[in-house]
């Protein structure tokens, strides 16, 4: 692949009057890129061109002054392109400039002198010369010649027509395939085996063009002509074909319609005579701007046809033709400005290779025949398609005797005939399979023998035994695990039934209907939910597994846990973290919203800048104002806003990232604390349950219930005075008793324990 920007050259047409020469200068310092300076005469600077700059400087790859010969132009501009076309790349050379600036002279040449012949005939001559020299490849050359006038394509080489007007010529239309490749329907391709044939086609086309032109349509100034050399090459015997196209383009005059305002005022409006040049400019602008995804190629036929030449698979060169006379200053400046934009366009030329299936088949057929011939020479016999019956029989006999031969050195000799070798293998395979089937059908009776006979079988048996052992072990482990799990479940069941039997009656709720304490369990689950809602699904399920026993808790235990949790030293940390987490979530949410706003604002600003830019360019075109020389304040403002917004976006994004890390960290901390709390509660509860069991069924003074071990010193101190406070005990009679002394005593014990807890924590 060759990556290259479009190469731009300038050519200045000789002027008639010598005194006009002072309006431009060429700076050709060898170290620097050559530049062309156009100097505005004072009278023009004061009025005609409405900004006051006195000179304009434009850079070109090379600048060819008035005395440049056609030969020099060809050598420096066209020859390198022709060379890359010969190498298999697409190439385009187009001339751009106002009418009379020398486009046709440069591309096709002058009509008078041989030495005046232009790029097309010289390139044809060069290409055919090279093709003749290169005998390593087979080349095919075709020519097409297309004229585009008023968005219509005409085939200038149609042999069936004697054109008297452009409309008589066959109309060419553009077709686009799903891969966005352009195909020109009705454009004839003519093979040219020699330079002469190709030149004849050029002249036929030029003549058709001339005949078809009338003073009315001014085709030569208002139409584009694309002369294309299609070159195919392939190495002898290869099925890979290379295709390359060279477009030599003579564009319509780039001059603009000038409307003079009332009283011979300044130019108020100037537009391209040619709409398709306007579209060409649009394409060039789009291509020269970074990040433009849509390029309006389809707007005109010319840009569709030259699609590959502009920002595509092509090596493209532009020649800006300039007629640097005083009256043409503005046109010359716009030609140069256009060239500067064109120079920004990057192309990527690739080799266009394809495999010709027909050629491939022919090649393979040839190869097969050659191999067959070679084989016949080696074996000394001509092969037929298949072996005869007799040959097959003969072979099978050979195989049988080979197999029966007890001599270990015996050989099966069938010669170098691959068909015979293959048959031998097939026959042997068949024999082997037959034997296998036979063995299987007689297997059971032979089993015993095999086991003791073959050492290999012994090894296999050992292996299987090992595997069996391993599986046994695995099963044992799994059974053990299952047992443990079952035991755990049973323990839990037992524990809860102990709880229940101690603290409640039967399997029903520990709180009989109407128990005023019942509803208190609700805030517990609600707060748990609130706590868990902040955790990720993964984490919450993990946590759930760890704290799953809570679900199996009796309501009494749940309530005790609630109180335990509240008075636990860690609960302060959990609560704090919960608050911070809530804040961070809110902050993250707000940040996310702001980030989205900033993002859409950036999008809007970018859009505004593009629109503004397009407006400015349009203004430049219509008023001949050099766009880059006028810093647009609004655009500047929009750009600085854009920068500011981008900065804001970045800052917020960084903050959000930091927040995410913080949130995740906090969540992990909380999960850990919750698991710890649960564990400690379980330990405490178990202890309490045992001690209750010991003291049951008598309702004993409550002071044997140990305070929560996790209670901080401060909390403990705080709860101390409260515990000394005389708290009216809930009358036992207010609890509806069951009448079952065991259960009732359980209930009483529970109430006592509960009261104790509440008293210590100042809950009541
Ligand atoms: P365009 O195609 O841009 O309208 P032409 O190529 O027809 O311009 O040139 C206009 C006239 O100027 C023609 O008569 C042409 O022979 C002459 N001319 C253009 N360039 C040169 C040049 N470099 N040397 C001599 N004559 C030229
Ligand atoms: Mg011309």
């Amino acid at each position: 692949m060759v990556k290259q920007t479009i190469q731009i050259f300038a050519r200045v047409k000789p002027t008639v009057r010598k005194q006009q020469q002072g309006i431009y200068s060429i700076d050709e310092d060898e170290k620097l890129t050559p530049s062309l300076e156009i100097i505005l005469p004072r009278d023009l600077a004061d009025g005609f061109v409405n900004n006051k700059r006195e000179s304009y400087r434009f850079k070109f790859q090379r600048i060819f002054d008035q005395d440049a010969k056609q030969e020099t132009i060809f050598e420096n501009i066209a020859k390198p392109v022709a060379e890359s076309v010969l190498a298999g790349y697409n190439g385009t050379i187009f001339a751009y400039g106002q009418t009379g600036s020398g486009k046709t002279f440069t591309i096709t040449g002058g009509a008078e002198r041989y030495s005046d012949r232009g790029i097309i005939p010289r390139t044809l001559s060069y290409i055919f010369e090279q093709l003749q020299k290169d005998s390593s490849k087979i080349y095919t050359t075709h020519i097409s010649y297309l004229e585009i006038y008023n968005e219509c394509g005409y085939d200038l080489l149609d042999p069936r027509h004697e054109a008297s007007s452009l409309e008589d010529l066959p109309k060419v239309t553009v077709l686009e395939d799903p891969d966005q490749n352009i195909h020109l329907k009705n454009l004839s391709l003519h093979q040219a085996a020699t330079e002469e044939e190709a030149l004849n086609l050029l002249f036929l086309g030029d003549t058709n063009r001339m005949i078809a032109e009338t003073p009315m349509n001014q085709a030569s100034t208002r139409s584009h002509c694309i002369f294309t050399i299609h070159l195919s090459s392939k190495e002898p015997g290869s099925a890979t074909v290379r295709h390359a196209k060279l477009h030599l383009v003579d564009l319509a005059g780039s001059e603009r319609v000038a409307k003079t305002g009332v009283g011979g005022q300044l130019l108020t409006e100037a537009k391209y005579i040619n709409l398709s040049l306007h579209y060409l400019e649009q394409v060039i602008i789009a291509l020269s701007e970074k990040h433009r995804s849509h390029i309006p190629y389809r707007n005109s036929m010319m840009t569709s046809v030259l699609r590959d030449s502009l920002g595509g698979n092509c090596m493209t060169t532009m020649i800006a033709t300039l007629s640097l006379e005083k009256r043409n200053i503005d046109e010359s400046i716009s030609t140069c400005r256009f060239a500067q934009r064109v120079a920004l366009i990057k192309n990527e030329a690739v080799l266009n290779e394809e495999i010709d299936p027909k050629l491939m088949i022919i090649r393979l057929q040839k190869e097969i025949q050659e191999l067959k011939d070679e084989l016949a020479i080696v074996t000394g016999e001509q092969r037929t398609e298949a072996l005869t019956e007799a040959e097959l029989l003969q072979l099978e006999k050979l195989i049988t005797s080979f197999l029966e031969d007890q001599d270990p050195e015996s050989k099966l000799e069938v010669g170098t005939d691959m068909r015979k070798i293959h048959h031998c293998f097939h026959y042997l395979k068949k024999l082997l399979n037959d034997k296998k089937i036979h063995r299987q059908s007689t297997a059971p009776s032979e089993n015993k023998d095999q086991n003791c006979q073959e050492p290999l079988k012994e090894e296999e048996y050992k292996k299987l035994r090992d595997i069996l052992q391993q599986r046994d072990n695995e099963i044992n482990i799994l059974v053990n695990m299952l047992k443990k799990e079952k035991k755990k479940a049973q323990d839990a069941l037992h524990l809860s039934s102990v709880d229940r039997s101690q603290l409640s009656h039967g399997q029903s709720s520990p709180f009989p209907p109407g128990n005023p304490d019942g509803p208190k369990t609700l805030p517990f689950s609600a707060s748990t939910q609130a706590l868990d809602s902040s955790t990720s699904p993964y984490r919450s399920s993990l946590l759930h597994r760890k704290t799953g026993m809570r679900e199996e808790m009796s309501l009494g235990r749940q309530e005790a846990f609630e109180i335990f949790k509240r008075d636990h030293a860690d609960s302060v940390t959990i609560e704090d973290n919960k608050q911070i987490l809530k804040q961070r979530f809110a902050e993250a949410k707000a940040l996310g919203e702001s980030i989205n706003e900033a993002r859409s604002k950036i999008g809007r600003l970018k859009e505004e800048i593009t629109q503004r830019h397009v407006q400015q360019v349009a203004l430049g075109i219509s008023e001949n104002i050099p766009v880059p020389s006028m810093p647009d304040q609004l655009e500047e403002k929009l750009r600085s806003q854009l920068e500011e917004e981008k900065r804001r976006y970045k800052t917020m994004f960084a903050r959000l990232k930091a927040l995410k890390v913080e949130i995740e960290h906090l969540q992990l901390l909380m999960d850990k604390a919750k698991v710890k709390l649960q564990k400690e509660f379980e330990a405490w509860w178990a202890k309490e349950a045992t001690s209750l069991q010991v003291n049951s069924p008598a309702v004993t003074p409550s002071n044997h219930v140990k305070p929560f071990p996790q209670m901080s010193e401060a909390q403990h101190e705080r709860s101390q005075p409260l515990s000394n406070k005389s708290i009216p005990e809930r009358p036992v009679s207010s609890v509806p008793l069951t009448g079952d002394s065991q259960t009732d005593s359980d209930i009483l014990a529970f109430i006592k324990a509960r009261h104790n807890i509440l008293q210590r924590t100042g809950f009541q």
Side-chain angles (χ1 to χ4, degrees):
M1 191 201 288
V2 180
K3 285 187 185 180
Q4 199 185 51
T5 50
I6 296 184
Q7 309 285 292
I8 55 160
F9 297 91
R11 184 183 200 186
V12 184
K13 188 189 132 175
T15 45
V16 187
R17 282 168 289 173
K18 283 272 178 246
Q19 68 268 31
Q20 298 264 357
Q21 282 180 9
I23 60 171
Y24 73 94
S25 73
I26 295 167
D27 192 348
E28 280 219 280
D29 191 330
E30 266 179 26
K31 285 178 208 141
L32 298 165
T33 319
S35 66
L36 172 76
E37 191 183 14
I38 299 178
I39 304 134
L40 283 185
R42 286 213 173 275
D43 50 341
L44 282 184
D46 285 341
F48 190 61
V49 176
N50 58 7
N51 76 60
K52 301 280 179 183
R53 269 179 62 172
E54 293 220 79
S55 76
Y56 293 93
R57 194 175 281 278
F58 303 102
K59 289 188 186 302
F60 287 92
Q61 204 92 17
R62 266 195 78 168
I63 299 153
F64 299 95
D65 209 346
Q66 298 185 26
D67 53 357
K69 299 269 171 290
Q70 293 285 63
E71 171 70 12
T72 319
I73 298 290
F74 169 75
E75 283 292 331
N76 290 281
I77 301 175
K79 200 169 156 182
V81 182
E83 260 157 8
S84 53
V85 171
L86 283 165
Y89 296 98
N90 290 336
T92 296
I93 301 172
F94 68 92
Y96 181 98
Q98 67 184 111
T99 299
S101 60
K103 295 184 298 294
T104 308
F105 187 82
T106 304
I107 296 292
T108 312
E112 285 152 31
R113 285 183 295 265
Y114 181 67
S115 61
D116 279 348
R117 69 199 196 285
I119 285 174
I120 298 177
R122 284 174 195 270
T123 306
L124 284 173
S125 173
Y126 178 72
I127 284 178
F128 280 104
E129 194 186 308
Q130 295 306 307
L131 299 191
Q132 266 183 348
K133 275 190 203 164
D134 186 4
S135 57
S136 72
K137 286 194 189 98
I138 301 157
Y139 290 97
T140 328
T141 316
H142 286 85
I143 304 291
S144 66
Y145 207 179
L146 170 74
E147 178 163 14
I148 301 170
Y149 178 71
N150 258 351
E151 280 307 299
C152 258
Y154 300 97
D155 183 3
L156 288 173
L157 297 182
D158 182 59
R160 294 162 298 177
H161 288 79
E162 193 75 56
S164 61
S165 78
L166 211 53
E167 283 72 27
D168 288 337
L169 293 167
K171 281 203 173 67
V172 178
T173 45
V174 176
L175 301 174
E176 196 176 324
D177 66 18
D179 294 329
Q180 296 195 324
N181 293 316
I182 296 294
H183 302 275
L184 296 169
K185 197 180 159 205
N186 271 347
L187 182 70
S188 57
L189 278 187
H190 300 261
Q191 191 167 359
T194 59
E195 186 188 344
E196 289 91 310
E197 282 179 30
L199 275 177
N200 282 340
L201 289 163
L202 169 68
F203 280 93
L204 170 72
D206 277 341
T207 315
N208 272 339
R209 187 185 182 192
M210 201 175 59
I211 294 167
E213 189 184 8
T214 61
M216 285 301 286
N217 67 23
Q218 293 176 25
S220 69
T221 68
R222 297 194 180 183
S223 69
H224 317 282
C225 281
I226 306 175
F227 183 88
T228 309
I229 305 166
H230 307 252
L231 197 67
S232 310
S233 64
K234 70 174 201 78
E235 278 168 28
S238 162
T240 309
V241 187
R242 265 184 199 175
H243 299 284
K245 276 184 252 179
L246 173 57
H247 295 302
L248 300 165
V249 189
D250 186 356
L251 290 176
S254 64
E255 63 274 7
R256 294 134 205 271
V257 180
K259 274 193 187 164
T260 315
V262 190
Q265 287 272 305
L266 302 177
L267 275 174
T268 52
E269 194 185 73
K271 282 182 181 158
Y272 277 109
I273 283 179
N274 203 291
L275 195 64
S276 63
L277 276 183
H278 167 69
Y279 288 127
L280 173 67
E281 182 150 5
Q282 294 293 303
V283 167
I284 303 289
I285 289 169
L287 285 167
S288 60
E289 277 173 11
K290 275 182 190 166
H291 315 302
R292 274 287 288 269
S293 54
H294 175 70
I295 311 294
Y297 290 112
R298 288 201 190 93
N299 281 354
S300 85
M301 183 172 189
M302 206 250 303
T303 46
S304 296
V305 175
L306 293 183
R307 186 187 185 128
D308 253 351
S309 315
L310 308 164
N313 169 21
C314 191
M315 289 165 112
T316 305
T317 296
M318 168 186 168
I319 308 170
T321 55
L322 303 161
S323 174
L324 278 164
E325 289 186 45
K326 196 171 151 186
R327 63 192 162 94
N328 293 331
I329 287 285
D330 51 344
E331 285 296 351
S332 304
I333 289 169
S334 42
T335 297
C336 292
R337 205 174 285 145
F338 181 80
Q340 307 300 294
R341 275 200 182 279
V342 167
L344 301 174
I345 298 170
K346 288 190 188 83
N347 281 348
E348 286 182 7
V350 290
L351 286 175
N352 310 296
E353 285 181 328
E354 64 176 31
I355 290 169
D356 188 337
K358 268 191 226 153
L359 284 175
M360 195 57 151
I361 291 166
I362 293 168
R363 216 189 76 185
L364 290 174
Q365 278 174 343
K366 215 175 131 207
E367 213 169 275
I368 288 167
Q369 191 50 52
E370 278 172 359
L371 286 170
K372 273 184 180 169
D373 292 347
E374 236 175 77
L375 209 62
I377 293 165
V378 173
T379 56
E381 52 186 295
Q382 207 68 36
R383 303 262 181 268
T384 55
E385 286 306 307
L387 291 168
T388 61
E389 279 296 314
E391 280 173 319
L392 290 174
L393 251 161
Q394 174 69 21
L395 261 180
E396 279 155 27
K397 262 187 205 164
L398 264 173
I399 296 165
T400 318
S401 61
F402 165 71
L403 288 174
E404 282 166 0
D405 195 342
Q406 292 300 311
D407 180 4
E409 307 245 306
S410 72
K411 279 179 188 167
L412 177 61
E413 309 248 14
V414 289
T416 51
D417 191 336
M418 277 317 282
R419 296 167 306 163
K420 285 184 183 167
I421 295 169
H422 283 311
H423 185 76
C424 281
F425 278 117
H426 280 136
Y427 192 74
L428 282 167
K429 192 177 172 184
K430 191 174 160 280
L431 283 179
L432 206 74
N433 283 340
D434 289 352
K435 204 178 170 193
K436 246 189 215 163
I437 291 163
H438 174 70
R439 202 183 277 169
Q440 267 169 17
S441 61
T442 54
S445 59
E446 288 171 12
N447 232 357
K448 214 178 110 198
D449 279 0
Q450 277 175 7
N451 278 351
C452 53
Q453 271 172 9
E454 295 170 39
L456 222 162
K457 284 275 142 85
E458 187 61 44
E459 219 170 78
E460 229 167 65
Y461 176 71
K462 199 176 165 283
K463 221 190 239 169
L464 284 169
R465 219 170 39 199
D466 286 352
I467 292 171
L468 210 66
Q469 186 65 45
Q470 270 178 26
R471 295 286 174 273
D472 272 353
N473 286 343
E474 277 171 26
I475 289 166
N476 279 338
I477 293 166
L478 285 169
V479 167
N480 277 340
M481 277 169 78
L482 260 169
K483 272 184 191 162
K484 264 184 206 162
E485 284 298 307
K486 213 170 149 189
K487 192 169 175 290
K488 240 192 237 168
Q490 270 170 352
D491 284 355
L493 216 78
H494 177 67
L495 204 71
S496 63
S497 68
V498 166
D499 290 347
R500 282 187 211 109
S501 63
Q502 282 178 352
L503 304 172
S504 68
H505 56 94
Q507 297 291 309
S508 60
S509 161
F511 300 104
N515 188 318
D517 289 318
K520 277 196 179 174
T521 54
L522 283 173
F524 166 75
S525 57
S527 74
T528 314
Q529 262 170 21
L531 211 71
D532 279 350
S533 67
S534 59
T535 58
S536 71
Y538 166 72
R539 247 204 316 278
S540 64
S541 72
L542 195 78
L543 187 74
H544 193 258
R545 270 213 303 279
K546 283 183 185 159
T547 59
M549 60 267 238
R550 203 194 296 165
E551 268 181 8
E552 291 159 22
M553 272 190 208
S554 63
L555 285 175
R557 239 169 104 180
Q558 279 185 27
E559 195 174 359
F561 177 63
E562 185 58 14
I563 298 158
F564 179 90
K565 196 170 78 180
R566 198 189 56 209
D567 293 328
H568 196 284
D570 286 356
S571 71
V572 183
T573 330
I574 292 178
E575 198 50 43
D576 282 355
N577 278 342
K578 211 167 105 184
Q579 288 312 319
I580 298 169
L581 206 58
K582 266 187 189 163
Q583 275 175 21
R584 296 292 177 267
F585 264 119
E587 207 178 322
K589 204 176 153 216
L591 256 179
E593 278 161 13
S594 308
I595 283 172
N596 277 340
E597 271 168 30
R599 192 188 288 146
S600 49
K601 201 168 171 193
I602 287 169
R604 276 201 304 277
L605 281 167
K606 277 185 179 167
E607 185 59 30
E608 272 180 55
I609 290 169
T610 317
Q611 273 176 12
R612 181 71 190 162
H613 208 76
V614 170
Q615 272 174 15
Q616 287 300 99
V617 170
L619 202 72
I621 291 169
S622 62
E623 291 184 11
N624 270 341
I625 297 166
V627 182
S629 61
M630 284 198 27
D632 176 25
Q633 281 191 345
L634 184 69
E635 196 181 316
E636 297 275 284
K637 206 178 134 207
L638 286 170
R639 279 194 195 282
S640 71
Q641 269 179 23
L642 182 70
E643 285 314 306
E644 178 56 38
E645 210 52 46
K646 276 186 184 168
R647 266 198 298 278
R648 222 167 70 83
Y649 180 85
K650 271 186 198 158
T651 320
M652 287 192 295
F653 201 79
R655 174 73 192 127
L656 189 64
K657 252 172 112 177
L659 261 183
K660 196 173 164 260
V661 174
E662 194 182 337
I663 286 171
E664 278 173 2
H665 190 84
L666 280 173
Q667 282 177 331
L668 281 170
L669 282 180
M670 278 177 69
D671 288 354
K672 220 169 109 184
K674 279 193 269 182
V675 174
K676 186 174 163 242
L677 199 69
Q678 180 96 42
K679 250 179 86 183
E680 284 175 4
F681 170 75
E682 290 304 325
W684 175 82
W685 181 264
K687 224 171 181 182
E688 287 305 305
T690 330
S691 72
L692 269 174
Q693 217 168 10
V694 171
N695 292 296
S696 182
V699 180
T700 52
S702 60
N703 54 2
H704 72 273
V705 178
K706 291 185 183 72
F708 302 148
Q710 298 77 22
M711 202 180 276
S712 66
E713 280 305 302
Q715 280 171 322
H716 203 74
E717 265 166 35
R718 207 164 23 130
S719 66
Q720 227 29 51
L722 280 167
S723 67
N724 293 335
K725 240 174 31 181
S726 157
I727 296 159
E729 277 197 21
R730 192 177 296 219
V732 169
S733 59
S734 71
V735 180
L737 299 181
T738 58
D740 175 327
S741 66
Q742 176 65 49
T743 319
D744 283 353
S745 67
D746 285 351
I747 296 170
L748 289 174
F750 166 70
I751 291 168
K752 201 76 197 165
R754 180 182 147 69
H755 176 71
N756 214 298
I757 293 166
L758 297 178
Q759 200 180 28
R760 281 178 186 284
T761 54
F763 190 75
Q764 275 185 337

